[in-house]
Amino acid sequence: MSIKRSFSGVANEAAVFLEEKFLCDVPLWRAFVDVFRTKADSERRGWKCEFFGKMMRGACLICEYTESEGLYAVLTDAVRDMLTVAEEDGRVSTFTKETEFSGWDMWGRKYVMLGLEYYLDICRDEALKAEIIRFISRCADAIIAEKGEANLVFAAAPSQDDILENLLKQDIDWTKVRGFHQDEYVGID
C-alpha cells in the first residue's frame, strides 16, 4: 500500500524549488555521469563519484512526492546514461584501474548502486528494472572479483522485495558475500 505524502508551506516550497532548480537540470545529471567516463577522481582521489547516487536518492523521493512526469523523465534518462558507463567486467568507478579502491572509490561505487536502488522504487518499466538489477549485480561482481569478497547491507522494507528477489536470480557467488540487515551494522569493527 502506497501512502501519499502531502506537505504545505516551507516543506512543499522546498520540494518544488529543488525539483525546478536542480533536479530537472539535465546538464547537471550528464556531468554526474560523465565523471565515470573521464575517471575524474583518479588524480586527487576525490569524491565526485558520490554525487550521482546522493542526488538520485533525494530526487527519487521528491519525484515520488510531486509525481512529476518531467522529473521522472529526467531521472529515467540519467539512469539510462549511468547504465552505459560500466566497463566490460562490470566495473563502475571514477578512478582508473591503477588508483581504484583508494580515496573515495568504494564510497562512490556504493552510492551509484544505492541511487539506482532508490530509482527502482519509482521505476515503472519492468525491462529497465531488470537492466538496473543486472547492472548493480555486475558492479558487485567486479568488486568481489578484485577484492575477493563483499559486505552488503540489505534492507527488509517491502520496497526492496524486487531487488532482493532479482538478486537471487543473478549468477552471484554468495559464498563471497557477507550480508547484513541495515540495522545490524552498528558496532561492527
Side-chain angles (χ1 to χ4, degrees):
M1 175 169 77
S2 179
I3 298 172
K4 175 67 178 144
R5 294 169 188 86
S6 178
F7 299 107
S8 61
V10 175
N12 185 66
E13 290 169 14
V16 171
F17 174 81
L18 289 170
E19 179 182 332
E20 291 174 355
K21 299 296 182 188
F22 298 104
L23 301 178
C24 286
D25 184 344
V26 173
L28 183 63
W29 286 104
R30 283 193 191 122
F32 288 157
V33 175
D34 282 343
V35 297
F36 290 88
R37 289 187 180 97
T38 63
K39 308 300 180 209
D41 287 324
S42 293
E43 187 176 320
R44 296 184 184 210
R45 311 294 195 270
W47 58 85
K48 293 175 184 172
C49 52
E50 70 181 9
F51 298 162
F52 174 87
K54 285 186 171 183
M55 189 76 132
M56 183 59 69
R57 286 185 336 165
C60 289
L61 294 173
I62 296 289
C63 187
E64 189 174 34
Y65 167 68
T66 64
E67 298 178 343
S68 167
E69 288 300 319
L71 178 56
Y72 180 79
V74 168
L75 298 181
T76 300
D77 288 345
V79 165
R80 289 184 190 283
D81 194 19
M82 177 56 77
L83 296 179
T84 68
V85 302
E87 296 175 20
E88 192 172 314
D89 64 356
R91 182 178 177 276
V92 175
S93 177
T94 59
F95 290 71
T96 62
K97 283 289 256 181
E98 296 75 33
T99 60
E100 72 178 339
F101 301 115
S102 65
W104 294 89
D105 186 33
M106 283 299 295
W107 192 255
R109 293 179 192 213
K110 171 194 82 167
Y111 272 110
V112 167
M113 292 187 277
L114 188 59
L116 292 172
E117 284 188 45
Y118 269 75
Y119 179 79
L120 285 171
D121 286 343
I122 65 168
C123 185
R124 300 185 296 248
D125 180 334
E126 293 302 317
L128 181 56
K129 280 184 179 181
E131 191 176 345
I132 292 166
I133 291 165
R134 281 190 302 275
F135 180 91
I136 291 170
S137 297
R138 291 188 69 233
C139 290
D141 287 344
I143 294 167
I144 293 169
E146 188 63 34
K147 300 303 279 179
E149 64 182 14
N151 296 321
L152 298 176
V153 178
F154 295 101
S159 63
Q160 298 302 300
D161 289 349
D162 284 346
I163 193 162
L164 295 173
E165 180 182 326
N166 284 293
L167 278 174
L168 292 174
K169 294 177 185 175
Q170 303 301 312
D171 185 25
I172 296 171
D173 183 355
W174 291 102
T175 64
K176 296 181 179 181
V177 176
R178 187 175 319 138
F180 297 94
H181 181 273
Q182 68 182 18
D183 296 328
E184 294 177 335
Y185 62 87
V186 175
I188 293 176
D189 295 324

